[in-house]
Amino acid sequence: MSTTHSTPADPITIVGGGPKKVLYTLKTVARIGLLNSAKALNSKNTCKACGLGMGGQRGGMTNEKDEFPSVCNKSIQAQSTDIQAPIPEDLFAHTLDDFKQLSAYEIEHLGRLNTPLFKSADGNKYTPVSWEFALDKMARSFAATHADRTFFYSSGRSSNEAGFVLQLLARLYGTNNVNNCSYYCHQATGVGLYNVIGTGTATVSLEDVGNCDCIFVIGANPSSNHPRFVHQLKNCRERGGQVIVINPAKEPGLVRFAVPKSAKSMLTGGTWIASEYVQPKIGSDLALLKGIAKALLETQQIDAHFIAEHTDNFATFKQDIDNTPWQTITQHCGIEQEKIHHLATAYATAERAIFAWGMGITHHLHGVENVETIANLALLRGMLGKPAAGLLPLRGHSNVQGIGTVGVKPVLADDVLQQLEQHTGAQLPRREGMDTLACLNAAHAGNMDAALIMGGNLFAATPNSQWAQEALDKIPFKVYLTTTLNLGHVTGMETSEALILPVTARDEEWQPTTQESMFNYVRLSDGGIDRLHNVKPEVEILCELGKRLLPNSPLDFTQLKQHDSIRAAIAATIPGLSELKDIASTKQEFTIKNRLFDTPTFKTENGKAQFQTSPLPNAVASQNYPFVLASIRSEGQFNSIIYEETDSYRGTNTRWSVLMNKEDIQALGIAVGDAVTLTSPQGEMKDVKVFAFDVPRGNLLAYYPEANVLIATKHDPRSKTPAFKSVPVQVVTSLG
């Protein structure tokens, strides 16, 4: 690893990965104990980190291609959180105000939660309580209100079994206000892909990734967020393929990455990852993608036969591209026409291209349009419906896709609802439920009385932090199911009641559970590790709530505690999951039926893919707020969980920082290391430290969730996803 400086304002150049990550792993293993770490990493349980997936019945460090070792820094970090001693109960003598003084890192490293906690509406402390008290209190609180004044939320940490019980319990109770964390991340992907091909998930397998000759990585930083995907990028380059990165930020780990499992990569100082790296302005991806399409059309480097036989609406799409002038495209994205033509030519040489993208694509007011346009590019050259080519959304949490698959969403397909009614013998509500942000809007308006929040950190995940705190506190009763404490458990409940219930981690489950990777692959986790004495599985808690809240339900919640019963219900009601029924006995993991496309027959009404057309979005910056900011995650965090305060890849030593173009730093009359204040219509970040970084002029980066104070609740109208990555801001210096 090396750092170079030519001027005080130059960004740091760092090779991603490498020996430091190996040393970090060794340090973490030493801290949590060799026996504990070996048991956790080698057990037959699915990885708890990103949606790339590994583990399950092939063993803890093996992926579905049987590649070993498939382990990364994120895996180690996740295990280090679960393998903690219980939080001493004496700590709960402290007030919520005391806990609020802790950083996200500090509060999440207090230890594992090992007792139910209760906070009264007029209290300022959590009190340890019995499970009997907690379960009865939870049931009484939900029974005391109308179901439409409640909502049920799940993160992507939970199992398919827990997610299915959660959504079924909510609907039997009487509400479709069932939602999950995807509304804050990849919901735009689901909507956009459905519009084009009739399904909302990846069209390729991990094996396909290993056989392609071109990978686009758009609006994503897998070196920090999906490290094992970088191994696939390295393999693509080494077999002569291309890796085309589109990202406003020049992320060091996407330029060069020392892959720890590759001796050659380590010894040579790192593998060159990106064969092409372009940096459009933040929020301008749509213009650049349209530009690539325009270049392909002008040079006739398209698959006319595929378009004619397997797509609709091409003429309308082509007319829109023809009517978009090159000058408009280049002014929007900041990339020269010649460079865009070069990208199109590079794509045109590929025989098997895969498009992968992250939240840099979805976190905009036009996130759905971004996704649709990526799919359009694949259609132009027939890169859908054949092996080793297609579309790959890079999912964040390990089971966020599975949670959606089993029905944790506000709208279910009619056939699924009918199957659920037939299976349960109950009539379920048909009115449309509310998405995540809509539920919090209702809460802020005083229209929510209770919420059940399973995993995650809903406060930290929500934009406009002050507003989010107010919205959550206006919910009179909340219950959280969690393994550790986070700032969302002490913020947003100043005048309201709350229960916090300690749950088992995935590898501690009393019965096997299942999870779904971003490749639509379902794995089986054995569970079975015994660490804590007073935690319960989520299914156990949800079924106990069901028994108390719905004593006359036709569904036997005692029987439903058996995970085999849950899987049988999922198999009978959710399309493509019939093999789930007997997975605990067969141990046969599987790819969900009808998700991958090896032939160009799509799940639309006529079996053809649908080209989509959309205008370029308006500029975000204004005279009062001339900069555009994107919130980002660091190498040392996973979603809202902070494992390290520093970011070794970007060279920052504090999370309270802003990353800027060096010319902007000089133009403002400030220097690297100075403190500035960032303001937006929503709020301000005072005294953030300035760092130089390779981003386009006028663009800024700041860490999530700290930057949420600047971010509005404005959202993509189709996906309901907030615009976390196109935020108008002003930089205020001490010079005025």
Side-chain angles (χ1 to χ4, degrees):
M1 184 177 298
S2 63
T3 60
T4 60
H5 301 270
S6 56
T7 75
D10 271 341
I12 297 173
T13 303
I14 305 172
V15 176
K20 181 170 182 179
K21 297 299 104 184
V22 176
L23 294 175
Y24 176 88
T25 298
L26 290 174
K27 177 183 174 182
T28 305
V29 167
R31 185 174 75 245
I32 64 181
L34 183 61
L35 181 61
N36 275 334
S37 60
K39 182 186 295 184
L41 291 172
N42 288 300
S43 62
K44 291 184 177 181
N45 289 290
T46 303
C47 174
K48 303 169 187 176
C50 78
L52 194 68
M54 68 169 191
Q57 294 306 295
R58 285 174 166 84
M61 292 186 284
T62 307
N63 64 23
E64 58 254 49
K65 288 176 64 180
D66 288 318
E67 293 174 331
F68 176 89
S70 287
V71 68
C72 71
N73 203 35
K74 287 287 179 281
S75 308
I76 302 294
Q77 290 170 338
Q79 291 292 5
S80 70
T81 299
D82 287 340
I83 307 174
Q84 295 187 88
I87 301 173
E89 288 195 15
D90 290 348
L91 286 186
F92 298 114
H94 290 275
T95 66
L96 265 63
D97 294 330
D98 293 336
F99 279 98
K100 288 178 184 177
Q101 300 306 308
L102 302 177
S103 68
Y105 171 86
E106 290 168 333
I107 196 169
E108 287 166 355
H109 287 78
L110 291 174
R112 282 286 298 277
L113 190 65
N114 193 39
T115 185
L117 301 173
F118 175 67
K119 178 208 166 286
S120 63
D122 57 356
N124 194 29
K125 292 181 180 180
Y126 275 112
T127 302
V129 295
S130 70
W131 274 105
E132 194 65 22
F133 171 89
L135 294 169
D136 283 343
K137 172 63 180 174
M138 179 167 52
R140 288 197 307 272
S141 297
F142 278 93
T145 187
H146 193 280
D148 277 346
R149 294 180 62 87
T150 70
F151 71 90
F152 293 72
Y153 169 92
S154 177
S155 79
R157 177 190 63 77
S158 298
S159 66
N160 292 327
E161 290 75 10
F164 184 80
V165 174
L166 178 78
Q167 64 91 16
L168 188 56
L169 169 64
R171 292 185 164 94
L172 288 168
Y173 170 53
T175 184
N176 283 323
N177 294 337
V178 180
N179 47 68
N180 65 64
C181 55
S182 72
Y183 281 90
Y184 286 169
C185 56
H186 264 290
Q187 183 66 15
T189 288
V191 175
L193 291 187
Y194 184 85
N195 293 340
V196 177
I197 58 175
T199 184
T201 64
T203 68
V204 296
S205 66
L206 182 58
E207 185 177 7
D208 287 326
V209 176
N211 292 321
C212 69
D213 61 1
C214 178
I215 304 175
F216 280 82
V217 180
I218 311 173
N221 182 19
S223 56
S224 285
N225 303 318
H226 304 84
R228 282 178 295 109
F229 189 64
V230 178
H231 181 65
Q232 303 300 325
L233 302 180
K234 174 191 79 75
N235 289 349
C236 182
R237 287 298 308 274
E238 289 181 348
R239 61 179 179 262
Q242 304 176 88
V243 173
I244 299 173
V245 178
I246 298 174
N247 195 322
K250 194 69 166 287
E251 298 289 3
L254 296 182
V255 177
R256 199 175 188 191
F257 195 92
V259 180
K261 69 179 286 186
S262 168
K264 178 182 177 182
S265 182
M266 295 282 281
L267 291 172
T268 59
T271 300
W272 295 101
I273 300 299
S275 52
E276 303 284 349
Y277 205 127
V278 291
Q279 297 173 259
K281 300 173 187 176
I282 290 172
S284 71
D285 303 270
L286 188 58
L288 176 58
L289 296 168
K290 277 194 168 188
I292 297 173
K294 190 174 183 70
L296 291 170
L297 289 166
E298 288 181 350
T299 56
Q300 297 184 355
Q301 297 181 107
I302 62 175
D303 189 334
H305 176 76
F306 176 90
I307 292 169
E309 293 294 320
H310 303 296
T311 74
D312 277 340
N313 305 326
F314 173 69
T316 303
F317 165 78
K318 183 178 184 301
Q319 188 65 54
D320 175 69
I321 297 296
D322 290 343
N323 291 344
T324 307
W326 272 113
Q327 185 178 4
T328 300
I329 290 171
T330 57
Q331 285 179 348
H332 265 75
C333 67
I335 306 297
E336 296 178 355
Q337 181 178 342
E338 181 181 359
K339 181 62 176 178
I340 297 174
H341 267 282
H342 178 73
L343 291 178
T345 300
Y347 173 34
T349 64
E351 295 183 6
R352 300 173 303 280
I354 288 175
F355 291 82
W357 66 93
M359 290 180 290
I361 284 294
T362 61
H363 275 174
H364 302 280
L365 298 180
H366 53 280
V368 171
E369 288 92 332
N370 282 343
V371 173
E372 290 172 341
T373 307
I374 291 173
N376 287 341
L377 276 184
L379 294 178
L380 276 178
R381 297 207 58 250
M383 293 297 173
L384 273 168
K386 70 177 186 180
L391 303 169
L392 177 61
L394 296 171
R395 304 279 181 178
H397 217 308
S398 55
N399 197 40
V400 63
Q401 188 163 300
I403 287 294
T405 294
V406 299
V408 185
K409 48 192 175 185
V411 179
L412 291 179
D414 285 340
D415 61 332
V416 174
L417 271 171
Q418 290 170 12
Q419 291 291 339
L420 284 173
E421 288 181 333
Q422 183 176 341
H423 191 84
T424 61
Q427 186 172 352
L428 302 178
R430 285 300 196 276
R431 55 194 173 278
E432 186 172 320
M434 290 187 284
D435 62 83
T436 306
L437 193 58
C439 285
L440 289 177
N441 268 313
H444 198 269
N447 297 325
M448 283 289 172
D449 294 331
L452 191 154
I453 300 167
M454 190 164 74
N457 183 343
L458 187 53
F459 164 71
T462 299
N464 196 341
S465 302
Q466 180 63 38
W467 178 90
Q469 179 176 351
E470 293 169 0
L472 287 165
D473 193 36
K474 287 182 178 180
I475 304 171
F477 175 77
K478 295 175 291 295
V479 57
Y480 294 89
L481 278 60
T482 184
T483 55
T484 58
L485 289 179
N486 59 53
L487 288 176
H489 297 132
V490 297
T491 307
M493 52 188 63
E494 290 73 17
T495 63
S496 50
E497 286 187 323
L499 273 174
I500 303 183
L501 305 182
V503 300
T504 51
R506 181 171 300 163
D507 53 5
E508 301 164 353
E509 287 274 354
W510 300 351
Q511 302 174 67
T513 61
T514 56
Q515 292 78 35
E516 178 188 339
S517 79
M518 68 172 73
F519 296 104
N520 307 291
Y521 190 79
V522 176
R523 287 185 175 84
L524 177 71
S525 294
D526 286 351
I529 296 178
D530 184 15
R531 296 191 184 103
L532 302 172
H533 71 275
N534 199 28
V535 297
K536 292 182 183 293
E538 290 163 334
V539 165
E540 178 82 10
I541 296 169
L542 295 171
C543 287
E544 282 297 321
L545 173 59
K547 285 169 56 179
R548 289 165 166 79
L549 181 61
L550 305 170
N552 299 318
S553 171
L555 192 68
D556 184 348
F557 282 100
T558 298
Q559 176 63 29
L560 203 63
K561 287 184 182 181
Q562 301 303 311
H563 289 191
D564 281 341
S565 295
I566 302 171
R567 287 188 286 268
I570 295 173
T573 56
I574 306 296
L577 290 179
S578 60
E579 294 174 73
L580 196 71
K581 181 176 184 294
D582 300 316
I583 193 172
S585 57
T586 65
K587 309 293 184 183
Q588 293 298 307
E589 299 169 325
F590 62 94
T591 299
I592 297 176
K593 291 182 175 68
N594 302 318
R595 291 275 183 90
L596 306 184
F597 291 94
D598 286 339
T599 60
T601 301
F602 304 103
K603 297 181 72 175
T604 56
E605 287 187 9
N606 64 1
K608 293 185 176 184
Q610 308 292 308
F611 275 98
Q612 301 293 318
T613 302
S614 53
L616 294 178
N618 295 324
V620 170
S622 65
Q623 185 175 354
N624 291 333
Y625 299 99
F627 289 90
V628 180
L629 176 142
S631 63
I632 56 172
R633 288 156 170 78
S634 72
E635 187 277 332
Q637 76 178 102
F638 183 68
N639 294 337
S640 61
I641 302 174
I642 310 303
Y643 298 114
E644 302 292 337
E645 300 280 2
T646 59
D647 188 346
S648 60
Y649 289 179
R650 298 189 181 104
T652 59
N653 58 10
T654 172
R655 295 186 57 81
W656 200 251
S657 61
V658 59
L659 288 73
M660 306 175 62
N661 182 290
K662 64 179 181 180
E663 293 181 23
D664 283 333
I665 294 173
Q666 293 164 352
L668 288 168
I670 57 177
V672 170
D674 284 355
V676 298
T677 295
L678 304 179
T679 67
S680 79
Q682 280 63 53
E684 65 178 15
M685 294 177 70
K686 290 184 177 180
D687 298 326
V688 296
K689 187 174 180 179
V690 173
F691 290 88
F693 202 71
D694 191 346
V695 292
R697 288 208 64 178
N699 287 181
L700 309 176
L701 308 175
Y703 289 113
Y704 158 97
E706 290 83 355
N708 282 355
V709 296
L710 303 171
I711 299 170
T713 56
K714 291 176 64 177
H715 53 275
D716 178 348
R718 290 197 281 172
S719 70
K720 316 302 181 185
T721 301
F724 288 98
K725 295 194 186 299
S726 48
V727 185
V729 298
Q730 182 184 46
V731 179
V732 180
T733 70
S734 59
L735 303 175

